[in-house]
Amino acid sequence: MSVKLLSSNKCFEGEQRIYSHFSNVLGCEMKFGAYVPPANLEDNVTCPVLFYLSGLTCTHENFIQKSGMQQYAAKYGLIVINPDTSPRNLDIPGEEDSNDFGTGASFYINATQEPWSKNYQMFSYITDELVQLINQNFPVIPTKKGIFGHSMGGHGALICALKNPGLYQSVSAFAPIANPVGCPWGQKAFKGYLGDNQDLWKQWDSTYLAETYSSGPIELFIDQGCNDNFLKEKQLLPENLLQAASSNDHLQTIYKQRAGYDHSYYYIATFIGEHIAYHAKLLN
């Protein structure tokens, strides 16, 4: 699997790059960001890899431009990969009709309903095809992977870890959609991508996955701004995930509540260093 370099900018002595490649899983050209730290560029060190999943309406660019993560990835010697949030330019009827379904709103699941099922296989893309692509094309340590994300991407990070025990050695989430079966965003997306069977919905919901998880121990680092309007509107429901995890001996949780912070990238930029340090400790 080959990648095409689209751009590269020096940043904190490393390089922030953007690549494209054709995804056989998604059936379209996909872009992703890759920060390569100076530990590799200057010292030829192979590095742990940290995957970041963005939220609704985002592309691969938001995290690169707004989070300020590069200085911390450079400090801790991590390669950071951030894919796009959905397949693009497929000409599926309705894919551009709303900002919470279709383009930019994959929810990182594998769709089962037509016309989405052919291309909207983001879970398989993130956990299989992209992992193989990065292992083959970047100087990473394949056994040292972490995953994190924001909002819809926080949901994605959690399900990727809970449904693939052992694949990731660290996981965290900023303001995740933690119980999509119980919120309007998730209900709309799951009905569209998965149909009416709510037992199937639960297979893609981190709260229900936390109830039934029975593999090796995982620690979930959940971060939440207390002034987040979507928290107040019951779109996120972290309390349901925390309750489910608390009764499961295979799961541990860290829950940080950030007084005064909202759902924006100002919030993410404030605490991104803490998250990357957390991942680095577990990956290094």
Side-chain angles (χ1 to χ4, degrees):
M1 292 185 285
S2 62
V3 296
K4 178 181 178 182
L5 180 64
L6 301 180
S7 66
S8 180
N9 298 90
K10 189 169 184 177
C11 187
F12 291 97
E13 304 308 315
E15 292 181 5
Q16 178 61 63
R17 304 170 182 171
I18 295 176
Y19 290 90
S20 70
H21 76 106
F22 184 82
S23 167
N24 292 315
V25 170
L26 304 178
C28 66
E29 196 75 12
M30 291 293 286
K31 294 179 181 178
F32 65 90
Y35 181 76
V36 181
N40 172 256
L41 295 180
E42 296 176 359
D43 301 322
N44 203 32
V45 174
T46 53
C47 302
V49 59
L50 183 56
F51 293 85
Y52 177 87
L53 307 181
S54 292
L56 288 166
T57 75
C58 291
T59 70
H60 63 285
E61 294 183 319
N62 301 71
F63 178 66
I64 291 170
Q65 296 174 354
K66 296 180 179 180
S67 72
M69 61 86 180
Q70 291 90 350
Q71 61 183 306
Y72 305 106
K75 177 180 177 180
Y76 294 108
L78 300 179
I79 289 176
V80 180
I81 302 295
N82 60 296
D84 204 346
T85 52
S86 77
R88 299 272 170 179
N89 305 311
L90 295 171
D91 295 324
I92 298 174
E95 69 180 350
E96 305 287 350
D97 289 355
S98 61
N99 62 10
D100 56 1
F101 187 79
T103 300
S106 72
F107 273 77
Y108 301 103
I109 66 176
N110 285 344
T112 60
Q113 295 295 299
E114 295 291 346
W116 310 100
S117 57
K118 179 180 178 181
N119 305 98
Y120 274 64
Q121 302 290 309
M122 283 293 288
F123 179 79
S124 292
Y125 173 68
I126 296 296
T127 60
D128 186 6
E129 186 179 32
L130 185 63
V131 170
Q132 292 186 49
L133 185 80
I134 299 307
N135 287 346
Q136 292 174 15
N137 290 278
F138 292 87
V140 300
I141 304 171
T143 56
K144 293 187 176 183
K145 291 188 294 295
I147 191 165
F148 68 149
H150 171 230
S151 194
M152 177 186 75
H155 145 79
L158 292 168
I159 65 170
C160 285
L162 290 169
K163 289 173 74 70
N164 289 280
L167 182 60
Y168 305 99
Q169 287 66 59
S170 59
V171 57
S172 71
F174 290 101
I177 302 173
N179 185 196
V181 168
C183 76
W185 275 340
Q187 290 163 0
K188 177 179 179 179
F190 283 12
K191 182 177 176 63
Y193 295 136
L194 302 173
D196 294 324
N197 183 354
Q198 295 198 15
D199 287 333
L200 180 57
W201 295 10
K202 292 176 182 179
Q203 297 176 25
W204 300 101
D205 183 309
S206 58
T207 294
Y208 290 99
L209 291 171
E211 288 181 353
T212 59
Y213 181 83
S214 60
S215 296
I218 295 180
E219 184 174 77
L220 308 176
F221 177 8
I222 311 298
D223 201 302
Q224 180 62 60
C226 297
N227 202 35
D228 187 327
N229 286 335
F230 299 120
L231 177 69
K232 299 173 184 177
E233 294 170 4
K234 302 296 182 181
Q235 292 279 24
L236 306 179
L237 304 172
E239 64 275 13
N240 294 351
L241 171 60
L242 294 168
Q243 182 177 356
S246 70
S247 60
N248 189 332
D249 292 339
H250 298 268
L251 296 176
Q252 298 291 325
T253 58
I254 299 170
Y255 186 48
K256 296 286 185 77
Q257 299 180 79
R258 313 294 191 173
Y261 284 89
D262 58 19
H263 200 73
S264 71
Y265 263 90
Y266 296 110
Y267 152 63
I268 294 173
T270 303
F271 300 107
I272 191 72
E274 183 177 335
H275 277 250
I276 291 181
Y278 170 80
H279 287 276
K281 182 178 180 180
L282 294 173
L283 295 174
N284 286 322

